[in-house]
Amino acid sequence: MSAEAADREAATSSRPCTPPQTCWFEFLLEESLLEKHLRKPCPDPAPVQLIVQFLEQASKPSVNEQNQVQPPPDNKRNRILKLLALKVAAHLKWDLDILEKSLSVPVLNMLLNELLCVSKVPPGTKHVDMDLATLPPTTAMAILLYNRWAIRTIVQSSFPVKQAKPGPPQLSVMNQMQQEKELTENILKVLKEQASDSILVLEAALKLNKDLYVHTMRTLDLLAMEPGMVNGETESSTAGLKIKTEEMQCQVCYDLGAAYFQQGSTNSAAYENAREKFFRTKELIAEIGSLSLHCTIDEKRLAGYCQACDVLVPSSDITSQQLTPYSQVHICLRSGNYKEVIKIFIEDNSTFRLPVQFRQSVQRELFQKAQQGNEALDEICFKVCACNTVRDILEGRTISVQFNQLFLRPNKEKIDFLLEVCSRSINLEKSSDSLKENMASFLKNVCLGLEDLQYVFMISSHELFITLLKDEERKLLVDQMRKRSPRVNLCIKPVTSFYDIPASASVNIGQLEHQLILSVDPWRIRQILIELHGMTSERQFWTVSNKWEVPSVYSGVILGIKDSLTRDLVYILMAKGLHCSTVKDFSHAKQLFAACLELVTEFSPKLRQVTLNEMLLLDIYTHEAGTGQSGERPPSDLISRVRGYLEMRLPDIPLRQVIAEECVAFMLNWKENEYLTLQVPAFLLQSNPYVKLGQLLAATIKELPGPKESRRTAKDLWEVVVQICSVSSQHKRGNDGRVSLIKQRESTLGIMYRSELLSFIKKLREPLVLTIILSLFVKLHNVREDIVNDITAEHISIWPSSIPNLQSVDFEAVAITVKELVRYAGSINPNNHSWLVIQADIYFATNQYSAALHYYLQAGAVCSDFFNKAVPPDVYTDQVAILCQFLREIDYKTAFKSLQEQNSHDAMDSYYDYIWDVTILEYLTYLHHKRGETDKRQIAIKAIGQTELNASNPEEVLQLAAQRRKKKFLQAMAKLYF
């Protein structure tokens, strides 16, 4: 059996996972009703929903007398259902763009396999072995459609897809999603195995020189008739919808181009094939016109593909003058013509055509090659960096650290090149004053940073410098240089002995200290310190920069090292490592800590453990900022090291509280709740407040499924947080003898301050942990006696409902904390409906009704596919109901009272189509009659007269009418706010 036939059999024995819309498909089994339905301007259900519905019903397995599940029977009803699905697709003109956008891979696979069946594709025969030229037009077109879809699906599966954040787990939905995922993976596996065959089939299609035809609703009707009544019409050259050869080739070329482009990542020769196909597609679009009915190409995407191909595979007949700057740079990098890259960058400094990010990426690529041992690139790296630096200063950005590092040891060649770049990057006659000022400021700063007066003179005597700076500015610069070097008689013109001025020891020390501040290379830092200590033994070089900060718990140990060189080196390595970790330069931080560890291991077990602790924190940061962002679990050894840190009992080891804080947050984020609940040593719970808090959170989560009376830990957590949010009070006797009460905002009785708790919570990302914390603070907010509108939250029932001493709680701080936490939770997942409802409740409680409605609508939209499904009752409770008729028991009293108000909007009658309760509509009719509002009364009467609101209708029809109006109303409201 062929791959296609096997795929077809697998697909037809499985079910699509999209739930059907009841009440509709039974009506549409009658073909005349289907065609009538499809002719509506906006049919509901939509055509693609009908396809899913028909195929689902046709693929339902049967159960025999022994209660055994059997494959779907091949009976007349199922054949009609499959035919109806094909007819809907024919109504959509077999547009793969529409079908792929709305149908899942399993459903579309089933649909196209049915098309192959009805198009008389011989079973058991590979498509690649069939001669398309000899096949009936509709058969050939069915094969092309299937194979176009196959390679398009493979290409689409290679793109990264942002996973949707899951809502509350529902076993049936999860099972359904898992089944669809497995089925999709199986189909993709088959498609990828036959990808080469599909490409050959499509390449063969490009050689056809005849028009093809695709099945229409009429030709599908003919297929359903008895063989004797067809008269061979479906196989003639004029049956079906005509697809011109050029239109077919245009679509096939585009799809083949995308397939070849996707293969280019592993086979660079494929880019040439992609380029050929994309440019042929452009030619065909020009021939047939972009308004073709049967050829839909995303021309913006095609242009992007063509531009990428221009860069990756430039055509040999295009001269360098016609290439874009991107292409020129790419070609030069591939060929090693770095001088041309520098030339392009200098020219771009005056045109600003290349984005700064692109130029920086080229610079990074060259630096990486240089660091891998290619010393010949050192000069190129400086020149590219100089070009980019000049571009930066012209646009008002700061000078990069890399340029400062490369310019630590200037020479005549570097100064000459820098002046050349500056001169060629600015047109003194046409440039704006701001550009000239930026350039002049840059040249002055370069002079002030140079120690060698020879190089200062090279710049100050250059024509560009003299033109940009006025005489007064140049004299001021000379004065600044003279004050910095009082022994040197600096003048604008060189004197005879200028080049013979010796460099003093103080100048050399200053240069080395400058390099020491900028360097992040541990071995270079060590070398500089050795040189400095060789020059003088009187200085403590760890004090050179006030930016070098080491926590006081560490500095006491480090500064106790007797050897001054070792003391300076350990302090500076630790300070620079901590700084790099803070600015997320993790690679340099790792190098610095590794060098520090190697050094202190020889003489200090205490500092060795300190460095290991900081390396653990660095690894946590690195994982969380890297693969952890995409949900990849941390390696097991990192989890083991975190546990080891939490259980560490080494005496006299200086510890930073932030490491324990990050370790506990790390364990909670990666659901290591079993460890936090059962395995944390008891001494740690007493000594570390973050471990205590983590243990209570983990145990509370573990007890959630149990009965309420068994949730002891929730009560303990509640008491801990209440204590943190309490205020300590003291009494003071005044001059008049009366005692007054003074409140202090932060109590010292809790295990930590509220600000520390908030800081810790903002390190958490696990949704359930955040939900538990949010519900606790919401409950604490609600226990106030003066609360009018409670805030709702998930799991709020697990907390105690009262506090013995309400006056001890700082409820103002609690309210601020709730708002902060909701804002933070929203930054983690803006589509969590329970968090959105909390935000809405907060706005509602503070009388900000418009903002509240915005978030109520958003909460409903994210959990109902923009109201295409019913909003869960736990989201729109009776307290959140937007209209009186949304309540489980309709509140007629409030509805009638609201309708009687005279301040209703003039366009209120435009919403009558959204009302499904006949009693409310009848009251509206009476009210408008009473007011003499004839036009509005007629609109209300028209709304009542709709057949689906007839009270005699079955209950399910009335419910369907209500659901449709509720959906349309909510969508209309959402469009006003989103």
Side-chain angles (χ1 to χ4, degrees):
M1 182 182 293
S2 69
E4 293 93 340
D7 188 21
R8 190 184 313 161
E9 182 175 336
T12 53
S13 63
S14 58
R15 298 180 58 189
C17 295
T18 307
Q21 295 184 357
T22 55
C23 307
W24 272 96
F25 95 94
E26 294 290 353
F27 295 128
L28 298 176
L29 279 175
E30 292 293 335
E31 296 169 18
S32 58
L33 286 181
L34 172 65
E35 295 185 20
K36 182 179 179 182
H37 176 76
L38 293 175
R39 284 196 296 269
K40 292 180 181 178
C42 297
D44 186 13
V48 287
Q49 293 173 314
L50 290 175
I51 293 175
V52 174
Q53 181 177 300
F54 289 144
L55 292 179
E56 182 184 43
Q57 295 296 325
S59 60
K60 275 187 176 179
S62 60
V63 179
N64 61 15
E65 295 177 354
Q66 289 78 30
N67 283 334
Q68 295 175 328
V69 178
Q70 301 291 325
D74 185 20
N75 53 29
K76 182 178 179 181
R77 177 180 178 276
N78 284 349
R79 286 194 296 272
I80 291 175
L81 285 167
K82 292 176 183 178
L83 183 64
L84 289 175
L86 291 172
K87 291 180 70 175
V88 176
H91 169 75
L92 297 174
K93 295 183 171 57
W94 300 99
D95 190 327
L96 287 181
D97 287 333
I98 296 175
L99 296 174
E100 288 169 340
K101 183 178 180 180
S102 306
L103 300 180
S104 65
V105 170
V107 172
L108 190 46
N109 178 65
M110 190 185 306
L111 179 72
L112 292 176
N113 274 289
E114 288 300 327
L115 176 65
L116 293 174
C117 289
V118 301
S119 299
K120 306 295 190 295
V121 175
T125 305
K126 286 188 174 184
H127 296 172
V128 72
D129 295 334
M130 303 175 73
D131 184 2
L132 297 177
T134 62
L135 293 174
T138 51
T139 305
M141 195 62 200
I143 291 174
L144 288 186
L145 272 173
Y146 177 86
N147 287 280
R148 276 186 59 216
W149 168 75
I151 64 170
R152 287 162 66 108
T153 304
I154 295 169
V155 171
Q156 190 64 34
S157 69
S158 68
F159 297 152
V161 177
K162 183 178 181 182
Q163 296 296 327
K165 297 281 177 120
Q170 298 180 18
L171 187 59
S172 61
V173 175
M174 291 174 65
N175 289 339
Q176 204 172 31
M177 291 173 63
Q178 183 61 29
Q179 289 175 11
E180 180 166 339
K181 181 180 178 183
E182 291 174 359
L183 185 56
T184 300
E185 288 173 352
N186 291 336
I187 293 171
L188 273 173
K189 182 179 178 182
V190 173
L191 295 179
K192 288 176 181 178
E193 288 173 356
Q194 66 186 32
S196 57
D197 286 354
S198 293
I199 289 175
L200 289 174
V201 169
L202 296 180
E203 287 283 8
L206 295 178
K207 300 175 184 177
L208 293 176
N209 56 3
K210 65 175 184 178
D211 296 336
L212 296 181
Y213 292 81
V214 68
H215 279 299
T216 61
M217 298 180 77
R218 179 172 178 274
T219 59
L220 289 169
D221 278 335
L222 292 172
L223 287 172
M225 300 169 71
E226 293 298 327
M229 300 173 65
V230 177
N231 295 326
E233 184 179 355
T234 55
E235 296 189 5
S236 74
S237 60
T238 58
L241 180 66
K242 182 178 179 180
I243 308 295
K244 293 183 178 179
T245 307
E246 294 80 6
E247 292 177 323
M248 177 272 291
Q249 290 183 350
C250 187
Q251 288 279 15
V252 170
C253 277
Y254 180 75
D255 294 336
L256 279 173
Y260 286 135
F261 193 89
Q262 186 242 347
Q263 294 174 357
S265 57
T266 55
N267 176 16
S268 57
Y271 284 131
E272 297 183 9
N273 292 334
R275 186 185 187 284
E276 177 191 341
K277 293 295 184 271
F278 286 135
F279 279 87
R280 177 58 181 155
T281 304
K282 288 180 70 174
E283 292 173 359
L284 288 167
I285 288 176
E287 290 180 21
I288 63 180
S290 57
L291 299 178
S292 168
L293 293 176
H294 312 303
C295 179
T296 55
I297 302 292
D298 185 342
E299 294 191 44
K300 288 186 179 179
R301 192 173 184 85
L302 174 62
Y305 272 130
C306 290
Q307 186 175 10
C309 289
D310 267 343
V311 173
L312 296 167
V313 191
S315 175
S316 57
D317 61 348
I318 300 179
T319 64
S320 60
Q321 287 76 14
Q322 294 174 303
L323 292 175
T324 64
Y326 294 98
S327 304
Q328 294 179 45
V329 171
H330 189 80
I331 294 167
C332 293
L333 289 174
R334 291 177 63 184
S335 62
N337 187 0
Y338 301 117
K339 290 184 179 179
E340 187 65 21
V341 173
I342 295 166
K343 180 182 176 183
I344 294 170
F345 276 20
I346 293 174
E347 291 174 355
D348 184 66
N349 279 354
S350 58
T351 61
F352 295 1
R353 291 180 63 191
L354 291 173
V356 174
Q357 294 81 359
F358 174 75
R359 294 173 59 129
Q360 289 173 346
S361 70
V362 173
Q363 180 177 317
R364 282 194 299 270
E365 181 180 340
L366 292 173
F367 269 79
Q368 288 170 3
K369 289 181 179 179
Q371 289 171 358
Q372 291 167 3
N374 191 345
E375 296 180 357
L377 286 179
D378 288 347
E379 181 183 352
I380 300 298
C381 287
F382 168 77
K383 290 185 175 182
V384 170
C385 185
C387 292
N388 285 345
T389 300
V390 172
R391 168 73 178 271
D392 286 339
I393 62 103
L394 286 173
E395 293 188 304
R397 288 184 291 274
T398 57
I399 299 173
S400 68
V401 175
Q402 279 184 320
F403 177 79
N404 285 327
Q405 289 177 326
L406 292 172
F407 212 62
L408 284 175
R409 292 186 177 179
N411 53 40
K412 184 176 182 300
E413 289 73 26
K414 287 183 177 180
I415 299 290
D416 281 335
F417 179 79
L418 183 62
L419 290 170
E420 179 191 355
V421 175
C422 291
S423 301
R424 294 174 58 186
S425 298
I426 188 168
N427 187 326
L428 294 174
E429 295 180 359
K430 298 181 180 179
S431 296
S432 64
D433 290 339
S434 62
L435 287 180
K436 294 177 183 178
E437 289 170 4
N438 290 342
M439 182 66 78
S441 177
F442 171 67
L443 292 175
K444 281 196 298 184
N445 289 331
V446 171
C447 287
L448 290 170
L450 291 171
E451 296 289 347
D452 193 324
L453 302 179
Q454 175 187 358
Y455 299 143
V456 174
F457 177 75
M458 286 178 63
I459 296 175
S460 63
S461 61
H462 194 275
E463 181 182 357
L464 178 65
F465 186 92
I466 295 171
T467 305
L468 290 175
L469 275 80
K470 299 177 182 178
D471 291 342
E472 296 79 17
E473 292 177 306
R474 295 204 302 277
K475 288 178 182 178
L476 181 62
L477 177 63
V478 169
D479 289 339
Q480 288 177 299
M481 299 295 291
R482 183 180 291 114
K483 289 176 184 178
R484 193 181 65 179
S485 305
R487 298 179 185 178
V488 179
N489 182 19
L490 182 67
C491 61
I492 296 178
K493 294 183 179 180
V495 295
T496 307
S497 60
F498 181 87
Y499 299 100
D500 301 324
I501 298 174
S504 65
S506 63
V507 172
N508 287 337
I509 290 175
Q511 287 180 331
L512 289 171
E513 287 179 342
H514 186 61
Q515 295 177 34
L516 186 64
I517 291 172
L518 295 176
S519 180
V520 288
D521 180 357
W523 306 113
R524 178 61 183 148
I525 292 169
R526 177 177 177 274
Q527 181 183 1
I528 293 170
L529 283 172
I530 291 172
E531 291 183 43
L532 287 169
H533 277 269
M535 293 179 178
T536 177
S537 59
E538 299 175 357
R539 296 280 302 276
Q540 293 181 327
F541 292 104
W542 63 269
T543 63
V544 165
S545 173
N546 59 6
K547 301 293 185 183
W548 293 339
E549 296 179 356
V550 170
S552 57
V553 291
Y554 295 170
S555 60
V557 181
I558 296 173
L559 297 180
I561 299 172
K562 293 181 179 179
D563 180 68
S564 59
L565 173 59
T566 306
R567 179 173 61 243
D568 286 343
L569 184 54
V570 172
Y571 189 97
I572 293 171
L573 289 174
M574 180 62 70
K576 284 178 175 285
L578 290 170
H579 173 73
C580 288
S581 179
T582 301
V583 299
K584 298 185 179 180
D585 184 0
F586 300 132
S587 60
H588 281 127
K590 191 168 186 177
Q591 294 173 14
L592 291 159
F593 283 140
C596 187
L597 178 65
E598 184 179 348
L599 179 62
V600 300
T601 298
E602 300 175 0
F603 65 88
S604 176
K606 189 179 295 186
L607 286 175
R608 178 181 182 276
Q609 189 58 53
V610 164
T611 310
L612 287 172
N613 294 346
E614 291 298 333
M615 294 178 79
L616 170 63
L617 181 60
L618 176 65
D619 287 344
I620 291 174
Y621 286 157
T622 304
H623 180 267
E624 298 296 83
T627 55
Q629 294 274 14
S630 59
E632 182 178 328
R633 278 190 62 80
S636 56
D637 70 304
L638 180 55
I639 296 176
S640 299
R641 287 166 59 204
V642 171
R643 291 182 177 182
Y645 175 84
L646 292 175
E647 297 170 8
M648 182 175 60
R649 299 189 66 171
L650 296 175
D652 302 326
I653 298 295
L655 298 175
R656 281 210 298 155
Q657 195 71 29
V658 68
I659 303 181
E661 186 181 351
E662 290 288 352
C663 284
V664 174
F666 177 84
M667 299 295 273
L668 287 170
N669 284 334
W670 296 106
K671 302 181 183 179
E672 293 292 324
N673 297 334
E674 195 73 19
Y675 171 80
L676 289 172
T677 306
L678 302 175
Q679 301 175 33
V680 172
F683 80 91
L684 201 57
L685 297 175
Q686 303 301 322
S687 61
N688 193 313
Y690 295 102
V691 175
K692 175 70 174 176
L693 189 61
Q695 187 262 345
L696 290 173
L697 280 167
T700 301
I701 290 171
K702 187 178 179 182
E703 292 176 358
L704 273 182
K708 185 175 181 180
E709 55 272 11
S710 70
R711 299 171 185 156
R712 301 191 197 94
T713 316
K715 184 179 179 183
D716 295 340
L717 179 58
W718 169 267
E719 291 173 352
V720 165
V721 174
V722 169
Q723 194 70 59
I724 292 172
C725 295
S726 296
V727 291
S728 59
S729 56
Q730 64 183 39
H731 297 82
K732 181 180 179 181
R733 187 177 298 277
N735 295 333
D736 57 359
R738 287 185 296 181
V739 176
S740 59
L741 180 66
I742 299 177
K743 283 189 176 181
Q744 297 176 345
R745 284 303 180 197
E746 292 280 355
S747 170
T748 58
L749 300 177
I751 62 174
M752 64 180 71
Y753 289 114
R754 185 182 62 86
S755 57
E756 293 173 330
L757 173 61
L758 188 59
S759 173
F760 171 72
I761 294 172
K762 288 185 177 181
K763 291 179 170 62
L764 301 173
R765 294 191 323 276
E766 168 56 30
L768 183 54
V769 178
L770 287 173
T771 299
I772 292 297
I773 294 171
L774 265 172
S775 68
L776 190 157
F777 274 96
V778 166
K779 184 68 175 182
L780 188 55
H781 173 274
N782 289 345
V783 298
R784 291 177 63 174
E785 294 177 343
D786 57 345
I787 288 293
V788 177
N789 296 302
D790 280 351
I791 300 174
T792 58
E794 211 173 347
H795 305 302
I796 200 169
S797 62
I798 69 174
W799 310 113
S801 56
S802 62
I803 298 175
N805 186 6
L806 281 175
Q807 291 74 20
S808 66
V809 179
D810 186 352
F811 284 108
E812 182 182 341
V814 170
I816 293 171
T817 304
V818 171
K819 293 176 182 177
E820 280 283 319
L821 293 180
V822 172
R823 191 179 301 117
Y824 170 70
S827 70
I828 297 297
N829 180 7
N831 293 325
N832 185 304
H833 65 81
S834 65
W835 299 346
L836 290 168
V837 169
I838 295 175
Q839 181 69 79
D841 285 350
I842 291 172
Y843 280 124
F844 188 83
T846 54
N847 301 327
Q848 300 179 66
Y849 302 121
S850 178
L853 183 55
H854 171 91
Y855 281 99
Y856 284 135
L857 287 168
Q858 193 173 341
V862 299
C863 64
S864 64
D865 190 19
F866 199 69
F867 304 112
N868 284 304
K869 302 174 185 174
V871 179
D874 61 329
V875 177
Y876 282 176
T877 61
D878 282 356
Q879 286 74 31
V880 185
I882 297 175
L883 289 179
C884 298
Q885 60 176 352
F886 276 61
L887 297 169
R888 292 177 179 85
E889 296 293 333
I890 296 177
D891 186 356
Y892 290 113
K893 181 179 179 181
T894 303
F896 295 163
K897 182 180 177 182
S898 300
L899 294 172
Q900 288 172 0
E901 293 179 0
Q902 293 297 319
N903 59 352
S904 60
H905 196 277
D906 287 342
M908 185 180 71
D909 52 296
S910 62
Y911 288 94
Y912 289 178
D913 283 342
Y914 302 132
I915 299 176
W916 59 87
D917 185 81
V918 175
T919 303
I920 294 177
L921 287 170
E922 288 174 343
Y923 184 79
L924 278 169
T925 306
Y926 158 75
L927 198 62
H928 290 312
H929 176 72
K930 182 179 177 182
R931 293 177 180 174
E933 298 169 342
T934 307
D935 293 343
K936 292 184 178 182
R937 178 173 176 270
Q938 288 300 320
I939 295 173
I941 291 173
K942 183 181 177 182
I944 295 175
Q946 296 175 87
T947 54
E948 57 252 56
L949 297 184
N950 192 317
S952 302
N953 285 338
E955 183 62 26
E956 62 180 17
V957 174
L958 293 174
Q959 288 180 1
L960 181 61
Q963 287 298 326
R964 288 182 61 190
R965 284 162 175 76
K966 185 183 294 186
K967 163 190 164 182
K968 289 182 178 180
F969 172 74
L970 290 172
Q971 287 178 339
M973 290 291 291
K975 288 175 182 177
L976 294 176
Y977 281 86
F978 297 165

